[in-house]
Amino acid sequence: MTTQQSSVVDATAVHMAGISKRFGAVRANDGVDLRVRSGTVHGIVGENGAGKSTLMSILYGFYSADSGSIEVFGQPARIRNAHEAIALGIGMVHQHFMLVDTLTALENVMLGAEPHALLSKAESIVRSKLGALMQSTGLHVDLDATVDQLSVGDRQRLEILKALYRGAKILILDEPTAVLTPQETEQLFEVLARLRTQGTTILLITHKLKEVMRLCDQVTVMRSGRVVHECAIAQASVEILAEAMVGRKVNMGRQGDAAIALGAVLLQVRGLVVRDALQVTRLQDFDLSLRAGEIVGVAGVAGNGQSELLEVLSGLLAPSAGELQLGGRSFTPGQWLTPGVARSLGLAHVPEDRHARAMVMSFAAWESAVLGYEALPEYSSAGGWMRHGAMRAATAAMMERFDVRPRNPDLVSSKFSGGNQQKLVLAREIGQAPKVLLVGQPTRGVDIGAIEFIHAQLRAMRDAGCAVLVVSSELDEILALADRVLVLNQGCVTGELPIADCSEARLGLLMVETKEQGLKA
């Protein structure tokens, strides 16, 4: 590294000193100091509610600090809104993208930053500048496609392009890989590495400690609104960071390998075929048996039939062909089970998308906590009148058992962090002591302490004799939980292995093989 390059890296891009922020009685940030060097990737980690996003929202102008100071590239900065942040060269890519679905990628970039009064001239200028940016950064997006036609990875690349187009030299990324496939994650890492070499400073908010270890130069750990640890990545490890985040040692990975006692087959499907509205086959000749006392993991790159599998097994979607046996009953496409029938037969479902499928975000927590079970005798009278008091009391008990924070049944569902939303949904479904439990992406967007808790609950269900099916895009999670693993690619099972025969490398290979290749392996 040359002396000139070294001085650039050693320069401070962001210095936040004594930042404090309250929301009512909650102290979200408590005297936080943060120094970020120019041209580096700086990780900011912590449990849900640790204050990471609040701190970055202050830097981006969404919130104003109650006290403290900010310097950007060595100059004092008063950042009262996002426009002032952008003017200082700060851009932010949120976990939930800020894009207009019906506009093209080009129009989204231009929106609010048109360089010319004449639309055609403005489009020409923006297209030319974006072309140069895509070439230099590797962030390639179809500029003429509407956002609703873009993949999740493309939308994220568009958000980064939009920030860079507006002059961002400091880029804040909030949980950037939470909804990406492994391939999209790899592409993102390549882009971020290239941006770093070009001098962009990147602040990375994430729960995924392996990503921090791989990508970051420096890491800051927050807990309860304060910085509790910071170091160069060379001095860190996943174990050190996890303990700093939670305040105690965290048990991740497999928890013992004692022989499991398999019971009866509780759910079985044969010859399952699922086609979408365009008659594209999403699942082909799928067979599955779930036994009492086991966790079966389903691995695969997102979009290879896992979502359709969960929807079919839970009664949300009828297949084109196949048969399902559950609770002594058989179901065929013409008379498929419904979610209500599934619940009555002892099947519970924790959906992949908790916002779209598991909760009503505008409902109070106690309302979300009884969704699908509101007709149970403990919640409703014979005349159909709902017992709201009983529902609130049951929710309070769920919150206590599953450590849902804050313990307020009347708080709107959207006000809980992602991890606490997930724990509430899990509490609702496990609370009915199901015989079969289907779980989609159990820890997506969830912090490491909650991951440990959720994994423990799933193991407890298995040990109590439940048959558990876990669909996860995280191979670490599959390897930590499953007793048996199915790998899906293009709607077909390319491999079925006992956990003793599984490794990340072997599962990764099966995830890209055809059915015929997998069977030969």
Side-chain angles (χ1 to χ4, degrees):
M1 181 181 288
T2 67
T3 302
Q4 184 177 4
Q5 289 172 322
S6 179
S7 65
V8 170
V9 171
D10 290 342
T12 299
V14 174
H15 182 204
M16 305 179 77
I19 299 294
S20 293
K21 178 67 177 177
R22 277 185 178 273
F23 296 99
V26 177
R27 189 185 289 271
N29 288 155
D30 187 5
V32 175
D33 293 335
L34 176 70
R35 189 182 293 272
V36 181
R37 299 198 319 270
S38 294
T40 64
V41 180
H42 192 115
I44 301 177
V45 302
E47 292 191 278
N48 289 322
K52 313 179 300 295
S53 294
T54 298
L55 185 67
M56 290 299 96
S57 293
I58 289 171
L59 180 59
Y60 193 59
F62 275 172
Y63 299 138
S64 294
D66 299 331
S67 60
S69 62
I70 301 173
E71 292 182 1
V72 178
F73 296 118
Q75 299 298 314
R78 186 182 179 192
I79 307 173
R80 293 164 293 189
N81 52 56
H83 293 294
E84 292 183 350
I86 292 168
L88 289 168
I90 302 170
M92 186 167 184
V93 177
H94 302 267
Q95 185 174 354
H96 301 290
F97 303 141
M98 304 292 197
L99 298 169
V100 181
D101 286 355
T102 54
L103 296 182
T104 66
L106 180 68
E107 290 166 341
N108 268 277
V109 173
M110 287 175 52
L111 193 62
E114 297 84 354
H116 197 278
L118 187 64
L119 184 59
S120 60
K121 180 66 173 176
E123 287 184 349
S124 178
I125 294 170
V126 175
R127 189 182 296 275
S128 177
K129 188 173 180 179
L130 286 176
L133 272 174
M134 287 191 285
Q135 186 66 31
S136 65
T137 63
L139 288 161
H140 296 288
V141 178
D142 181 355
L143 297 179
D144 296 313
T146 56
V147 166
D148 57 10
Q149 295 174 321
L150 298 177
S151 68
V152 173
D154 282 338
R155 295 182 194 196
Q156 186 176 74
R157 284 187 283 275
L158 177 60
E159 284 277 31
I160 297 173
L161 273 174
K162 185 170 72 171
L164 295 175
Y165 169 80
R166 298 180 185 210
K169 301 299 181 185
I170 298 166
L171 192 59
I172 305 167
L173 301 177
D174 189 358
E175 297 290 349
T177 65
V179 293
L180 299 186
T181 66
Q183 287 91 337
E184 288 171 332
T185 297
E186 286 298 318
Q187 292 167 2
L188 175 65
F189 285 179
E190 291 173 6
V191 167
L192 296 183
R194 184 179 297 188
L195 289 174
R196 172 172 52 189
T197 64
Q198 294 170 354
T200 302
T201 303
I202 299 165
L203 287 144
L204 181 68
I205 306 172
T206 183
H207 292 124
K208 299 181 180 181
L209 298 184
K210 282 189 174 182
E211 294 180 0
V212 171
M213 295 301 300
R214 177 179 169 185
L215 192 63
C216 294
D217 303 293
Q218 194 86 7
V219 60
T220 296
V221 182
M222 296 185 67
R223 187 171 73 241
S224 301
R226 297 179 178 179
V227 172
V228 295
H229 185 78
E230 53 187 349
C231 64
I233 209 67
Q235 300 168 337
S237 69
V238 168
E239 292 74 21
I240 289 171
L241 296 179
E243 185 172 348
M245 284 171 62
V246 181
R248 58 176 173 78
K249 288 192 178 296
V250 180
N251 295 315
M252 304 302 292
R254 294 197 68 78
Q255 303 297 304
D257 286 305
I260 58 173
L262 291 178
V265 174
L266 299 181
L267 179 149
Q268 187 171 57
V269 288
R270 290 286 180 264
L272 203 61
V273 177
V274 176
R275 298 187 182 94
D276 63 18
L278 299 176
Q279 295 304 302
V280 175
T281 301
R282 297 300 182 183
L283 275 178
Q284 181 66 45
D285 296 328
F286 182 87
D287 297 338
L288 172 68
S289 295
L290 288 181
R291 291 182 174 273
E294 72 170 340
I295 298 177
V296 175
V298 179
V301 177
N304 279 276
Q306 303 96 314
S307 298
E308 290 79 6
L309 174 63
L310 287 172
E311 291 180 352
V312 166
L313 297 183
S314 63
L316 291 169
L317 176 68
S320 304
E323 181 182 7
L324 180 147
Q325 294 182 343
L326 174 69
R329 293 179 59 180
S330 293
F331 300 90
T332 54
Q335 294 182 313
W336 202 249
L337 84 166
T338 63
V341 170
R343 282 191 289 270
S344 72
L345 295 175
L347 183 146
H349 177 211
V350 178
E352 293 179 291
D353 187 338
R354 55 182 170 263
H355 289 178
R357 292 283 195 179
M359 311 180 86
V360 177
M361 302 311 291
S362 60
F363 275 11
W366 68 266
E367 293 174 295
S368 284
V370 300
L371 280 177
Y373 298 100
E374 61 275 3
L376 291 175
E378 56 263 43
Y379 294 151
S380 296
S381 66
W385 292 97
M386 288 190 289
R387 297 175 170 141
H388 291 175
M391 292 175 177
R392 283 188 172 90
T395 302
M398 290 183 207
M399 288 178 156
E400 185 67 30
R401 179 185 170 193
F402 281 76
D403 191 27
V404 177
R405 306 176 194 178
R407 286 178 172 75
N408 181 359
D410 292 312
L411 187 65
V412 175
S413 299
S414 63
K415 298 298 183 183
F416 290 87
S417 69
N420 284 298
Q421 290 171 355
Q422 188 75 346
K423 286 195 282 187
L424 188 60
V425 173
L426 200 65
R428 178 184 72 204
E429 300 303 327
I430 287 179
Q432 301 305 316
K435 297 176 182 177
V436 177
L437 178 63
L438 312 177
V439 188
Q441 309 299 342
T443 58
R444 175 176 283 167
V446 171
D447 65 57
I448 198 163
I451 290 172
E452 181 190 34
F453 180 88
I454 290 170
H455 284 187
Q457 296 302 314
L458 296 179
R459 292 188 189 101
M461 291 299 292
R462 173 199 61 193
D463 296 344
C466 183
V468 183
L469 182 74
V470 172
V471 170
S472 177
S473 57
E474 302 289 341
L475 286 184
D476 284 350
E477 184 158 65
I478 294 292
L479 292 169
L481 284 174
D483 303 301
R484 176 164 54 99
V485 180
L486 299 179
V487 182
L488 274 177
N489 184 29
Q490 298 180 17
C492 296
V493 175
T494 57
E496 180 175 354
L497 303 170
I499 194 63
D501 295 340
C502 291
S503 67
E504 192 165 324
R506 188 168 184 185
L507 293 180
L509 186 61
L510 289 169
M511 286 165 64
V512 297
E513 287 184 339
T514 64
K515 181 177 181 179
E516 292 73 20
Q517 289 172 324
L519 292 174
K520 289 177 182 178

